[in-house]
mmCIF file of all heavy atoms in Angstrom:
data_model
loop_
_atom_site.group_PDB
_atom_site.id
_atom_site.type_symbol
_atom_site.label_atom_id
_atom_site.label_comp_id
_atom_site.label_asym_id
_atom_site.label_seq_id
_atom_site.Cartn_x
_atom_site.Cartn_y
_atom_site.Cartn_z
ATOM 1 N N ARG F 1089 42.625 5.016 7.229
ATOM 2 C CA ARG F 1089 42.439 3.720 7.874
ATOM 3 C C ARG F 1089 41.994 2.676 6.862
ATOM 4 O O ARG F 1089 41.535 3.022 5.762
ATOM 5 C CB ARG F 1089 41.401 3.834 9.006
ATOM 6 C CG ARG F 1089 41.815 4.776 10.128
ATOM 7 C CD ARG F 1089 40.677 4.932 11.136
ATOM 8 N NE ARG F 1089 39.509 5.549 10.534
ATOM 9 C CZ ARG F 1089 38.327 5.664 11.137
ATOM 10 N NH1 ARG F 1089 38.194 5.214 12.381
ATOM 11 N NH2 ARG F 1089 37.317 6.240 10.520
ATOM 12 N N PRO F 1090 42.105 1.369 7.205
ATOM 13 C CA PRO F 1090 41.615 0.321 6.296
ATOM 14 C C PRO F 1090 40.129 0.499 5.981
ATOM 15 O O PRO F 1090 39.374 1.073 6.781
ATOM 16 C CB PRO F 1090 41.887 -0.971 7.069
ATOM 17 C CG PRO F 1090 42.995 -0.626 8.005
ATOM 18 C CD PRO F 1090 42.787 0.811 8.380
ATOM 19 N N PHE F 1091 39.718 -0.036 4.845
ATOM 20 C CA PHE F 1091 38.348 0.199 4.355
ATOM 21 C C PHE F 1091 37.299 -0.256 5.361
ATOM 22 O O PHE F 1091 36.375 0.498 5.700
ATOM 23 C CB PHE F 1091 38.151 -0.518 3.011
ATOM 24 C CG PHE F 1091 36.714 -0.520 2.549
ATOM 25 C CD1 PHE F 1091 36.161 0.610 1.974
ATOM 26 C CD2 PHE F 1091 35.922 -1.648 2.721
ATOM 27 C CE1 PHE F 1091 34.834 0.611 1.564
ATOM 28 C CE2 PHE F 1091 34.605 -1.653 2.310
ATOM 29 C CZ PHE F 1091 34.059 -0.519 1.725
ATOM 30 N N PHE F 1092 37.391 -1.494 5.843
ATOM 31 C CA PHE F 1092 36.348 -2.015 6.723
ATOM 32 C C PHE F 1092 36.363 -1.324 8.082
ATOM 33 O O PHE F 1092 35.329 -1.227 8.743
ATOM 34 C CB PHE F 1092 36.486 -3.532 6.878
ATOM 35 C CG PHE F 1092 35.929 -4.294 5.705
ATOM 36 C CD1 PHE F 1092 36.774 -4.838 4.751
ATOM 37 C CD2 PHE F 1092 34.552 -4.435 5.545
ATOM 38 C CE1 PHE F 1092 36.265 -5.524 3.661
ATOM 39 C CE2 PHE F 1092 34.036 -5.120 4.459
ATOM 40 C CZ PHE F 1092 34.886 -5.675 3.515
ATOM 41 N N VAL F 1093 37.505 -0.845 8.516
ATOM 42 C CA VAL F 1093 37.545 -0.055 9.746
ATOM 43 C C VAL F 1093 36.758 1.239 9.545
ATOM 44 O O VAL F 1093 35.961 1.659 10.402
ATOM 45 C CB VAL F 1093 38.998 0.235 10.154
ATOM 46 C CG1 VAL F 1093 39.039 1.177 11.353
ATOM 47 C CG2 VAL F 1093 39.734 -1.061 10.470
ATOM 48 N N GLN F 1094 36.976 1.876 8.389
ATOM 49 C CA GLN F 1094 36.209 3.087 8.080
ATOM 50 C C GLN F 1094 34.717 2.783 7.977
ATOM 51 O O GLN F 1094 33.875 3.528 8.501
ATOM 52 C CB GLN F 1094 36.691 3.686 6.756
ATOM 53 C CG GLN F 1094 38.119 4.187 6.747
ATOM 54 C CD GLN F 1094 38.471 4.804 5.402
ATOM 55 O OE1 GLN F 1094 37.706 5.603 4.860
ATOM 56 N NE2 GLN F 1094 39.630 4.439 4.869
ATOM 57 N N TYR F 1095 34.378 1.654 7.300
ATOM 58 C CA TYR F 1095 32.968 1.324 7.074
ATOM 59 C C TYR F 1095 32.234 1.092 8.388
ATOM 60 O O TYR F 1095 31.156 1.645 8.615
ATOM 61 C CB TYR F 1095 32.846 0.097 6.176
ATOM 62 C CG TYR F 1095 31.462 -0.513 6.184
ATOM 63 C CD1 TYR F 1095 30.392 0.153 5.594
ATOM 64 C CD2 TYR F 1095 31.222 -1.734 6.816
ATOM 65 C CE1 TYR F 1095 29.116 -0.387 5.614
ATOM 66 C CE2 TYR F 1095 29.945 -2.287 6.837
ATOM 67 C CZ TYR F 1095 28.904 -1.609 6.240
ATOM 68 O OH TYR F 1095 27.638 -2.152 6.275
ATOM 69 N N PHE F 1096 32.805 0.266 9.273
ATOM 70 C CA PHE F 1096 32.109 -0.045 10.518
ATOM 71 C C PHE F 1096 32.031 1.174 11.433
ATOM 72 O O PHE F 1096 31.055 1.336 12.177
ATOM 73 C CB PHE F 1096 32.787 -1.214 11.224
ATOM 74 C CG PHE F 1096 32.489 -2.552 10.591
ATOM 75 C CD1 PHE F 1096 33.494 -3.283 9.958
ATOM 76 C CD2 PHE F 1096 31.205 -3.064 10.606
ATOM 77 C CE1 PHE F 1096 33.215 -4.503 9.369
ATOM 78 C CE2 PHE F 1096 30.920 -4.296 10.021
ATOM 79 C CZ PHE F 1096 31.931 -5.014 9.402
ATOM 80 N N SER F 1097 33.043 2.023 11.392
ATOM 81 C CA SER F 1097 32.969 3.262 12.150
ATOM 82 C C SER F 1097 31.855 4.153 11.613
ATOM 83 O O SER F 1097 31.057 4.725 12.380
ATOM 84 C CB SER F 1097 34.312 3.987 12.086
ATOM 85 O OG SER F 1097 34.230 5.245 12.721
ATOM 86 N N TRP F 1098 31.784 4.252 10.279
ATOM 87 C CA TRP F 1098 30.716 5.047 9.640
ATOM 88 C C TRP F 1098 29.347 4.449 9.924
ATOM 89 O O TRP F 1098 28.392 5.174 10.241
ATOM 90 C CB TRP F 1098 30.986 5.112 8.135
ATOM 91 C CG TRP F 1098 29.886 5.711 7.324
ATOM 92 C CD1 TRP F 1098 29.622 7.035 7.124
ATOM 93 C CD2 TRP F 1098 28.900 4.999 6.560
ATOM 94 N NE1 TRP F 1098 28.548 7.194 6.301
ATOM 95 C CE2 TRP F 1098 28.083 5.962 5.933
ATOM 96 C CE3 TRP F 1098 28.642 3.655 6.333
ATOM 97 C CZ2 TRP F 1098 27.012 5.608 5.108
ATOM 98 C CZ3 TRP F 1098 27.577 3.296 5.515
ATOM 99 C CH2 TRP F 1098 26.781 4.262 4.910
ATOM 100 N N LEU F 1099 29.210 3.119 9.824
ATOM 101 C CA LEU F 1099 27.929 2.456 10.069
ATOM 102 C C LEU F 1099 27.475 2.667 11.511
ATOM 103 O O LEU F 1099 26.282 2.889 11.765
ATOM 104 C CB LEU F 1099 28.042 0.959 9.762
ATOM 105 C CG LEU F 1099 26.767 0.125 9.957
ATOM 106 C CD1 LEU F 1099 25.663 0.610 9.032
ATOM 107 C CD2 LEU F 1099 27.051 -1.352 9.714
ATOM 108 N N GLY F 1100 28.410 2.604 12.454
ATOM 109 C CA GLY F 1100 28.045 2.848 13.849
ATOM 110 C C GLY F 1100 27.479 4.232 14.058
ATOM 111 O O GLY F 1100 26.492 4.411 14.794
ATOM 112 N N HIS F 1101 28.056 5.220 13.392
ATOM 113 C CA HIS F 1101 27.522 6.579 13.501
ATOM 114 C C HIS F 1101 26.177 6.699 12.786
ATOM 115 O O HIS F 1101 25.274 7.403 13.270
ATOM 116 C CB HIS F 1101 28.516 7.590 12.918
ATOM 117 C CG HIS F 1101 29.725 7.813 13.762
ATOM 118 N ND1 HIS F 1101 30.892 7.089 13.604
ATOM 119 C CD2 HIS F 1101 29.966 8.659 14.795
ATOM 120 C CE1 HIS F 1101 31.792 7.492 14.477
ATOM 121 N NE2 HIS F 1101 31.254 8.445 15.232
ATOM 122 N N VAL F 1102 26.027 6.028 11.638
ATOM 123 C CA VAL F 1102 24.774 6.086 10.890
ATOM 124 C C VAL F 1102 23.625 5.521 11.719
ATOM 125 O O VAL F 1102 22.501 6.062 11.720
ATOM 126 C CB VAL F 1102 24.913 5.324 9.556
ATOM 127 C CG1 VAL F 1102 23.541 5.063 8.921
ATOM 128 C CG2 VAL F 1102 25.785 6.122 8.595
ATOM 129 N N LEU F 1103 23.874 4.434 12.436
ATOM 130 C CA LEU F 1103 22.822 3.817 13.246
ATOM 131 C C LEU F 1103 22.358 4.735 14.372
ATOM 132 O O LEU F 1103 21.260 4.527 14.921
ATOM 133 C CB LEU F 1103 23.318 2.489 13.824
ATOM 134 C CG LEU F 1103 23.581 1.375 12.797
ATOM 135 C CD1 LEU F 1103 24.142 0.135 13.474
ATOM 136 C CD2 LEU F 1103 22.305 1.033 12.026
ATOM 137 N N THR F 1104 23.149 5.727 14.708
ATOM 138 C CA THR F 1104 22.740 6.714 15.714
ATOM 139 C C THR F 1104 22.203 7.990 15.069
ATOM 140 O O THR F 1104 21.911 8.956 15.784
ATOM 141 C CB THR F 1104 23.915 7.063 16.639
ATOM 142 O OG1 THR F 1104 24.966 7.675 15.860
ATOM 143 C CG2 THR F 1104 24.457 5.815 17.320
ATOM 144 N N GLY F 1105 22.080 7.985 13.734
ATOM 145 C CA GLY F 1105 21.565 9.160 13.040
ATOM 146 C C GLY F 1105 22.602 10.203 12.695
ATOM 147 O O GLY F 1105 22.257 11.327 12.308
ATOM 148 N N ASN F 1106 23.874 9.847 12.791
ATOM 149 C CA ASN F 1106 24.948 10.791 12.497
ATOM 150 C C ASN F 1106 25.605 10.397 11.173
ATOM 151 O O ASN F 1106 26.254 9.360 11.076
ATOM 152 C CB ASN F 1106 25.980 10.776 13.626
ATOM 153 C CG ASN F 1106 27.132 11.740 13.371
ATOM 154 O OD1 ASN F 1106 27.084 12.569 12.469
ATOM 155 N ND2 ASN F 1106 28.180 11.619 14.168
ATOM 156 N N PHE F 1107 25.435 11.225 10.140
ATOM 157 C CA PHE F 1107 26.008 10.946 8.826
ATOM 158 C C PHE F 1107 27.320 11.686 8.590
ATOM 159 O O PHE F 1107 27.805 11.741 7.461
ATOM 160 C CB PHE F 1107 25.006 11.322 7.724
ATOM 161 C CG PHE F 1107 23.783 10.463 7.694
ATOM 162 C CD1 PHE F 1107 22.602 10.907 8.256
ATOM 163 C CD2 PHE F 1107 23.805 9.199 7.132
ATOM 164 C CE1 PHE F 1107 21.462 10.118 8.242
ATOM 165 C CE2 PHE F 1107 22.683 8.402 7.104
ATOM 166 C CZ PHE F 1107 21.510 8.862 7.670
ATOM 167 N N GLY F 1108 27.878 12.263 9.622
ATOM 168 C CA GLY F 1108 29.125 12.982 9.464
ATOM 169 C C GLY F 1108 28.900 14.412 9.018
ATOM 170 O O GLY F 1108 27.782 14.928 9.026
ATOM 171 N N ASN F 1109 29.977 15.040 8.595
ATOM 172 C CA ASN F 1109 29.930 16.429 8.142
ATOM 173 C C ASN F 1109 30.142 16.521 6.644
ATOM 174 O O ASN F 1109 30.803 15.674 6.031
ATOM 175 C CB ASN F 1109 30.993 17.270 8.856
ATOM 176 C CG ASN F 1109 30.696 17.416 10.333
ATOM 177 O OD1 ASN F 1109 29.573 17.211 10.783
ATOM 178 N ND2 ASN F 1109 31.720 17.773 11.098
ATOM 179 N N SER F 1110 29.581 17.559 6.067
ATOM 180 C CA SER F 1110 29.732 17.795 4.635
ATOM 181 C C SER F 1110 31.177 18.148 4.312
ATOM 182 O O SER F 1110 31.833 18.882 5.064
ATOM 183 C CB SER F 1110 28.802 18.923 4.188
ATOM 184 O OG SER F 1110 29.110 19.357 2.883
ATOM 185 N N TRP F 1111 31.669 17.636 3.199
ATOM 186 C CA TRP F 1111 33.019 17.968 2.765
ATOM 187 C C TRP F 1111 33.104 19.385 2.212
ATOM 188 O O TRP F 1111 34.193 19.946 2.098
ATOM 189 C CB TRP F 1111 33.487 16.990 1.693
ATOM 190 C CG TRP F 1111 33.834 15.634 2.225
ATOM 191 C CD1 TRP F 1111 33.812 15.232 3.536
ATOM 192 C CD2 TRP F 1111 34.267 14.503 1.472
ATOM 193 N NE1 TRP F 1111 34.202 13.926 3.643
ATOM 194 C CE2 TRP F 1111 34.493 13.447 2.392
ATOM 195 C CE3 TRP F 1111 34.484 14.262 0.119
ATOM 196 C CZ2 TRP F 1111 34.916 12.181 1.988
ATOM 197 C CZ3 TRP F 1111 34.908 13.004 -0.293
ATOM 198 C CH2 TRP F 1111 35.127 11.973 0.638
ATOM 199 N N ILE F 1112 31.964 19.967 1.883
ATOM 200 C CA ILE F 1112 31.969 21.293 1.265
ATOM 201 C C ILE F 1112 32.044 22.394 2.321
ATOM 202 O O ILE F 1112 32.883 23.295 2.252
ATOM 203 C CB ILE F 1112 30.715 21.488 0.392
ATOM 204 C CG1 ILE F 1112 30.650 20.398 -0.687
ATOM 205 C CG2 ILE F 1112 30.708 22.877 -0.234
ATOM 206 C CD1 ILE F 1112 31.812 20.405 -1.638
ATOM 207 N N ASN F 1113 31.144 22.339 3.297
ATOM 208 C CA ASN F 1113 31.066 23.418 4.288
ATOM 209 C C ASN F 1113 31.247 22.944 5.723
ATOM 210 O O ASN F 1113 31.126 23.741 6.645
ATOM 211 C CB ASN F 1113 29.729 24.159 4.152
ATOM 212 C CG ASN F 1113 28.553 23.192 4.126
ATOM 213 O OD1 ASN F 1113 28.602 22.115 4.730
ATOM 214 N ND2 ASN F 1113 27.499 23.570 3.413
ATOM 215 N N ASN F 1114 31.494 21.636 5.914
ATOM 216 C CA ASN F 1114 31.742 21.051 7.236
ATOM 217 C C ASN F 1114 30.522 21.125 8.157
ATOM 218 O O ASN F 1114 30.644 20.950 9.367
ATOM 219 C CB ASN F 1114 32.937 21.725 7.920
ATOM 220 C CG ASN F 1114 33.646 20.773 8.885
ATOM 221 O OD1 ASN F 1114 33.620 19.556 8.708
ATOM 222 N ND2 ASN F 1114 34.274 21.324 9.909
ATOM 223 N N PHE F 1115 29.321 21.339 7.584
ATOM 224 C CA PHE F 1115 28.095 21.310 8.379
ATOM 225 C C PHE F 1115 27.639 19.862 8.551
ATOM 226 O O PHE F 1115 27.912 19.009 7.700
ATOM 227 C CB PHE F 1115 26.985 22.111 7.694
ATOM 228 C CG PHE F 1115 27.171 23.598 7.767
ATOM 229 C CD1 PHE F 1115 26.398 24.446 6.990
ATOM 230 C CD2 PHE F 1115 28.108 24.163 8.618
ATOM 231 C CE1 PHE F 1115 26.555 25.812 7.047
ATOM 232 C CE2 PHE F 1115 28.281 25.531 8.689
ATOM 233 C CZ PHE F 1115 27.510 26.358 7.895
ATOM 234 N N PRO F 1116 26.929 19.554 9.638
ATOM 235 C CA PRO F 1116 26.394 18.192 9.808
ATOM 236 C C PRO F 1116 25.433 17.830 8.674
ATOM 237 O O PRO F 1116 24.507 18.591 8.363
ATOM 238 C CB PRO F 1116 25.665 18.266 11.156
ATOM 239 C CG PRO F 1116 26.303 19.409 11.880
ATOM 240 C CD PRO F 1116 26.676 20.403 10.820
ATOM 241 N N VAL F 1117 25.661 16.673 8.053
ATOM 242 C CA VAL F 1117 24.825 16.252 6.927
ATOM 243 C C VAL F 1117 23.390 16.005 7.388
ATOM 244 O O VAL F 1117 22.447 16.278 6.644
ATOM 245 C CB VAL F 1117 25.420 14.985 6.284
ATOM 246 C CG1 VAL F 1117 24.496 14.450 5.197
ATOM 247 C CG2 VAL F 1117 26.792 15.280 5.709
ATOM 248 N N THR F 1118 23.222 15.509 8.607
ATOM 249 C CA THR F 1118 21.873 15.259 9.124
ATOM 250 C C THR F 1118 21.052 16.535 9.132
ATOM 251 O O THR F 1118 19.874 16.535 8.778
ATOM 252 C CB THR F 1118 21.946 14.675 10.541
ATOM 253 O OG1 THR F 1118 22.741 13.491 10.525
ATOM 254 C CG2 THR F 1118 20.559 14.340 11.059
ATOM 255 N N GLN F 1119 21.691 17.641 9.517
ATOM 256 C CA GLN F 1119 20.996 18.921 9.548
ATOM 257 C C GLN F 1119 20.679 19.404 8.133
ATOM 258 O O GLN F 1119 19.593 19.935 7.879
ATOM 259 C CB GLN F 1119 21.863 19.951 10.278
ATOM 260 C CG GLN F 1119 21.255 21.341 10.354
ATOM 261 C CD GLN F 1119 22.165 22.320 11.079
ATOM 262 O OE1 GLN F 1119 23.119 21.925 11.750
ATOM 263 N NE2 GLN F 1119 21.889 23.602 10.933
ATOM 264 N N LEU F 1120 21.631 19.223 7.207
ATOM 265 C CA LEU F 1120 21.401 19.655 5.825
ATOM 266 C C LEU F 1120 20.304 18.838 5.149
ATOM 267 O O LEU F 1120 19.538 19.355 4.334
ATOM 268 C CB LEU F 1120 22.698 19.534 5.022
ATOM 269 C CG LEU F 1120 23.870 20.417 5.461
ATOM 270 C CD1 LEU F 1120 25.123 20.057 4.665
ATOM 271 C CD2 LEU F 1120 23.532 21.894 5.274
ATOM 272 N N LEU F 1121 20.238 17.553 5.494
ATOM 273 C CA LEU F 1121 19.311 16.647 4.821
ATOM 274 C C LEU F 1121 17.926 16.652 5.438
ATOM 275 O O LEU F 1121 16.953 16.338 4.750
ATOM 276 C CB LEU F 1121 19.879 15.224 4.852
ATOM 277 C CG LEU F 1121 19.128 14.135 4.089
ATOM 278 C CD1 LEU F 1121 19.046 14.478 2.612
ATOM 279 C CD2 LEU F 1121 19.796 12.795 4.290
ATOM 280 N N GLY F 1122 17.819 17.027 6.703
ATOM 281 C CA GLY F 1122 16.561 16.888 7.428
ATOM 282 C C GLY F 1122 15.390 17.570 6.754
ATOM 283 O O GLY F 1122 14.384 16.930 6.410
ATOM 284 N N ASN F 1123 15.488 18.888 6.551
ATOM 285 C CA ASN F 1123 14.380 19.635 5.961
ATOM 286 C C ASN F 1123 14.121 19.217 4.520
ATOM 287 O O ASN F 1123 12.968 19.209 4.068
ATOM 288 C CB ASN F 1123 14.664 21.135 6.024
ATOM 289 C CG ASN F 1123 14.692 21.657 7.445
ATOM 290 O OD1 ASN F 1123 14.043 21.106 8.327
ATOM 291 N ND2 ASN F 1123 15.469 22.714 7.670
ATOM 292 N N ARG F 1124 15.174 18.865 3.797
ATOM 293 C CA ARG F 1124 15.001 18.454 2.404
ATOM 294 C C ARG F 1124 14.288 17.105 2.307
ATOM 295 O O ARG F 1124 13.479 16.887 1.405
ATOM 296 C CB ARG F 1124 16.359 18.392 1.705
ATOM 297 C CG ARG F 1124 17.053 19.743 1.633
ATOM 298 C CD ARG F 1124 18.468 19.604 1.125
ATOM 299 N NE ARG F 1124 19.153 20.891 1.050
ATOM 300 C CZ ARG F 1124 19.215 21.643 -0.038
ATOM 301 N NH1 ARG F 1124 18.608 21.257 -1.135
ATOM 302 N NH2 ARG F 1124 19.869 22.787 -0.023
#
Side-chain angles (χ1 to χ4, degrees):
R1089 298 175 297 172
F1091 171 78
F1092 281 103
V1093 174
Q1094 296 182 47
Y1095 165 70
F1096 284 113
S1097 175
W1098 171 81
L1099 181 62
H1101 287 92
V1102 166
L1103 293 177
T1104 63
N1106 180 11
F1107 293 100
N1109 293 341
S1110 168
W1111 286 358
I1112 302 299
N1113 50 30
N1114 208 28
F1115 286 168
V1117 174
T1118 304
Q1119 179 180 346
L1120 296 173
L1121 186 60
N1123 294 332
R1124 297 172 180 266

